[in-house]
Amino acid sequence: MAAAIKRTKLPLGDSIPVLGQGTWHFGEDPARWDDEVAALQLGLDLGLTVIDTGEMYGDGAAEDLVGDAIDGRRDDVFLVTKVSPAHFRDGEMALACEKSLRRLGTEWIDLYLLHSRGFQLLDETLDALAELERLEKISSWGVSNFGVPDLRELIQVRDGVHVQTDQVPYNLARRDVESDLLPWCRTRGIPVMACSPFEQGQLPSQTGLRRVAERHGATPAQVALAWVVGREGVAAIARARTPEHVRENRAALDLRLTPDDLTDLEQAFPLLGNERPSAHP
Ligand SMILES: NC(=O)c1ccc[n+]([C@@H]2O[C@H](COP(=O)([O-])OP(=O)(O)OC[C@H]3O[C@@H](n4cnc5c(N)ncnc54)[C@H](OP(=O)(O)O)[C@@H]3O)[C@@H](O)[C@H]2O)c1
């Protein structure tokens, strides 16, 4: 029997499994619709209850597809979607959120992320988020692709804001967040949500994973996933369209990497000079 899935606590108290399911490019090909719905539903059955999507994915098609996948089981899901910078202003965010809710077939979003920093004044954006929280359209909010300067600005604009996560690309081949963002977030108890844990499918074929995978009778993809979810203060979102990949990814959560494994991976995927953790995050 599989062990219980490790969980991460968000600042407001929700706890989520360290691995969730991504939906970038889902819903774009009608011929794949049913398979993508089935993949998400299998993931839910296996305990991967965080589903991450965005209004930008397929121009809303991914949210529509997620709506199909969670139909009748909304309470089993921790639903994350993202609002695009084009909709950060007050009235526009309310409308964008309403459209997302309609496509998702739900009355609330568990975590609403600002998809990237954008150019809007944060003050107005924060007011719009607060209003959505007040109306219980969203339960909490966070950010995505924010750097430390953006997060600092956020906190300066409004002291005491409750940013639940920063979702950024992070994997063995892309470790730049270790220089500043990861330590900064760890210090403040904000989990980083690692997206593209397979570098959009490129990472599993890299030779550096093979030796560790063989040692455990695992696949390279499982090693890549076990590494990222094993990092302190990190949860991940992986996209898988096939049932084999969904099962494999769930099983990767039971893989325990040893100190020798970690040393081998460090050697195969070294930090570059400019990625070393700074002394003052
Ligand atoms: N906030 C942002 O700006 C942002 C940016 C990027 C991603 N994201 C989120 O993070 C999610 C994941 O990132 P991603 O979509 O870039 O891709 P990813 O998860 O890094 O990689 C997905 C690719 O890996 C393959 N894969 C999945 N499991 C595998 C396994 N066990 N073995 C071998 N290959 C496997 C998939 O194949 P199959 O499809 O054939 O199973 C797919 O081709 C996105 O879908 C999205 O929700 C957010």
Side-chain angles (χ1 to χ4, degrees):
M1 199 174 104
I5 299 178
K6 189 176 132 194
R7 301 177 76 86
T8 299
K9 204 160 181 199
L10 301 176
L12 281 178
D14 275 323
S15 111
I16 57 167
V18 288
L19 181 62
Q21 307 189 76
T23 62
W24 190 18
H25 300 306
F26 275 22
E28 291 175 8
D29 179 354
R32 289 175 153 172
W33 189 280
D34 290 347
D35 288 345
E36 290 167 352
V37 167
L40 290 175
Q41 290 177 333
L42 173 62
L44 292 178
D45 293 342
L46 297 176
L48 305 180
T49 51
V50 176
I51 295 184
D52 176 76
T53 188
E55 62 164 347
M56 201 186 261
Y57 298 168
D59 264 339
E63 287 186 331
D64 267 330
L65 186 138
V66 170
D68 272 7
I70 67 174
D71 190 24
R73 54 194 307 182
R74 175 65 185 91
D75 288 339
D76 299 343
V77 183
F78 187 89
L79 190 53
V80 185
T81 193
K82 306 182 205 80
V83 55
S84 307
H87 300 143
F88 282 0
R89 304 190 75 131
D90 196 4
E92 287 165 21
M93 191 184 292
L95 190 60
C97 184
E98 212 50 64
K99 287 183 180 170
S100 287
L101 288 168
R102 210 172 311 140
R103 286 188 291 261
L104 290 161
T106 183
E107 288 174 8
W108 81 100
I109 292 158
D110 295 293
L111 178 56
Y112 201 45
L113 302 182
L114 304 178
H115 206 141
S116 58
R117 170 65 183 86
F119 297 105
Q120 286 72 15
L121 290 175
L122 281 175
D123 221 353
E124 192 176 350
T125 302
L126 294 178
D127 284 344
L129 288 167
E131 180 63 3
L132 290 175
E133 273 181 314
R134 192 186 68 75
L135 295 171
E136 300 183 356
K137 307 273 182 190
I138 65 173
S139 306
S140 65
W141 62 269
V143 297
S144 170
N145 301 306
F146 271 43
V148 170
D150 304 316
L151 287 165
R152 281 209 182 99
E153 186 187 342
L154 194 67
I155 282 170
Q156 269 162 15
V157 168
R158 197 80 49 88
D159 200 16
V161 291
H162 289 297
V163 56
Q164 297 303 291
T165 191
D166 191 357
Q167 185 182 103
V168 290
Y170 180 38
N171 59 54
L172 271 166
R174 203 198 293 218
R175 300 177 59 187
D176 51 308
V177 298
E178 290 179 31
S179 65
D180 54 358
L181 184 72
L182 197 50
W184 194 93
C185 286
R186 274 181 187 146
T187 306
R188 289 157 183 82
I190 300 170
V192 163
M193 204 176 257
C195 60
S196 300
F198 301 127
E199 191 62 19
Q200 298 177 38
Q202 305 299 308
L203 188 54
S205 60
Q206 295 206 13
T207 49
L209 295 164
R210 220 171 276 159
R211 191 161 123 174
V212 176
E214 280 166 8
R215 207 180 274 154
H216 288 275
T219 67
Q222 288 180 311
V223 173
L225 212 45
W227 179 84
V228 77
V229 300
R231 314 291 290 174
E232 185 203 330
V234 177
I237 301 289
R239 166 172 52 95
R241 195 175 258 137
T242 68
E244 295 77 20
H245 284 166
V246 175
R247 288 186 197 284
E248 209 177 294
N249 296 346
R250 163 61 188 90
L253 303 180
D254 298 332
L255 182 58
R256 297 282 168 263
L257 298 178
T258 65
D260 282 350
D261 297 334
L262 296 176
T263 304
D264 285 353
L265 293 171
E266 282 289 333
Q267 276 169 4
F269 299 93
L271 281 171
L272 302 175
N274 61 355
E275 294 172 344
R276 299 216 168 273
S278 56
H280 302 289

